[in-house]
Amino acid sequence: GDKAFAQFLTDEIKEEKKIQKHKSLPKVSGGWELEVHGTEAKLVRKIAGEKITVTFNINNSIPPSAEEDTQEQQKPDEQEPELTSTPNFVVEVIKDDTKQTLVLDCHFPEDEIGNEGEEESDIFTIREVSFQPTGEADWKDTNYTLNTDSLDWALYDHLMDFLADRGVDNTFADELVELSTALEHQEYIKFLEDLKSFVKCQ
């Protein structure tokens, strides 16, 4: 059984490498620096007295696909539909002269992906906003967290503009999806390779 499993994995790795779009991770425009630790990625940029960091994790970032839909439309020779990784991401804005960090928890709504037609609509939304003490690893649950579900639209729009002014806009979100998808695929191939070595190990 293990032999067959290892052979299957070898073929699978070959296939995945064939469809891999990016041999190296795509860049995010706008002067963002990328750090990757396993499945977690962090983008950092500094502008006039502020440091903006965007953190996301590729685990569980691929929305469950509607299996039934894709089956019928697939032509026999077609590759599987492309998987896109749309992770939640956290934006932290740190101003040099304050002890607080503004934290905005953003995500890609599932129904928005693919609705490219509407120019106006944002491809990501802000879910929660809070202040956290700068430099502390553990955030406190006791800090007030603003949930945007019941938020005044004008305030919400200002928050979105606030992010856009710092380079977190639709273009950035598109590039983040591209980066995350490439990272996810890279990790998946690495996982298959590790699994193959593990299965073959006596």
Side-chain angles (χ1 to χ4, degrees), residues 11-12 14-20 70-71 73-83 185:
D11 298 342
E12 194 69 9
K14 245 197 225 101
E15 278 307 304
E16 289 297 331
K17 283 191 166 157
K18 218 187 296 173
I19 61 171
Q20 193 172 18
T70 51
Q71 292 305 321
Q73 294 154 9
Q74 252 180 337
K75 300 174 191 67
D77 57 348
E78 243 187 336
Q79 277 294 349
E80 287 159 35
E82 239 179 78
L83 296 175
H185 199 204

Side-chain angles (χ1 to χ4, degrees), residues 10 22 26 59 101-102 106-107 125 144 164 166 173 175 191 196:
T10 305
H22 303 279
N59 279 337
T101 299
L102 183 65
C106 304
H107 75 141
T125 59
Y144 178 75
R166 283 151 183 82
E175 291 179 358
F191 172 80
K196 186 176 106 179

Side-chain angles (χ1 to χ4, degrees), residues 2-180:
D2 285 2
K3 257 204 188 76
F5 191 11
Q7 187 50 52
F8 167 79
L9 288 167
T10 305
D11 298 342
E12 194 69 9
I13 290 163
K14 245 197 225 101
E15 278 307 304
E16 289 297 331
K17 283 191 166 157
K18 218 187 296 173
I19 61 171
Q20 193 172 18
K21 276 210 307 218
H22 303 279
K23 292 291 168 254
S24 61
L25 293 173
K27 292 261 183 288
V28 175
S29 59
W32 294 89
E33 283 171 35
L34 173 66
E35 302 167 24
V36 180
H37 306 284
T39 59
E40 187 173 85
K42 186 188 233 176
L43 290 157
V44 182
R45 102 184 258 240
K46 294 187 169 81
I47 47 169
E50 291 183 8
K51 178 177 163 191
I52 295 102
T53 65
V54 177
T55 317
F56 65 92
N57 195 318
I58 57 165
N59 279 337
N60 305 321
S61 64
I62 294 185
S65 57
E67 284 298 313
E68 301 77 57
D69 302 353
T70 51
Q71 292 305 321
E72 289 123 51
Q73 294 154 9
Q74 252 180 337
K75 300 174 191 67
D77 57 348
E78 243 187 336
Q79 277 294 349
E80 287 159 35
E82 239 179 78
L83 296 175
T84 308
S85 160
T86 50
N88 298 342
F89 60 97
V90 175
V91 184
E92 295 169 57
V93 181
I94 302 165
K95 289 187 187 260
D96 286 350
D97 44 7
T98 69
K99 301 265 183 293
Q100 288 184 312
T101 299
L102 183 65
V103 178
L104 301 102
D105 195 343
C106 304
H107 75 141
F108 293 95
E110 276 166 37
D111 49 355
E112 286 299 316
I113 308 296
N115 292 354
E116 301 297 309
E118 305 158 33
E119 271 308 289
E120 272 306 283
S121 101
D122 293 300
I123 57 177
F124 69 95
T125 59
I126 302 170
R127 221 175 8 195
E128 291 181 345
V129 188
S130 67
F131 279 110
Q132 297 295 345
T134 300
E136 284 193 25
D138 295 330
W139 289 341
K140 298 179 169 54
D141 287 339
T142 50
N143 287 9
Y144 178 75
T145 300
L146 174 68
N147 191 311
T148 55
D149 288 347
S150 52
L151 200 58
D152 177 329
W153 276 106
L155 176 53
Y156 182 82
D157 285 344
H158 278 297
L159 284 169
M160 288 299 273
D161 291 344
F162 176 85
L163 283 181
D165 290 342
R166 283 151 183 82
V168 179
D169 52 13
N170 276 351
T171 308
F172 171 85
D174 274 333
E175 291 179 358
L176 181 114
V177 166
E178 181 124 336
L179 168 66
S180 182

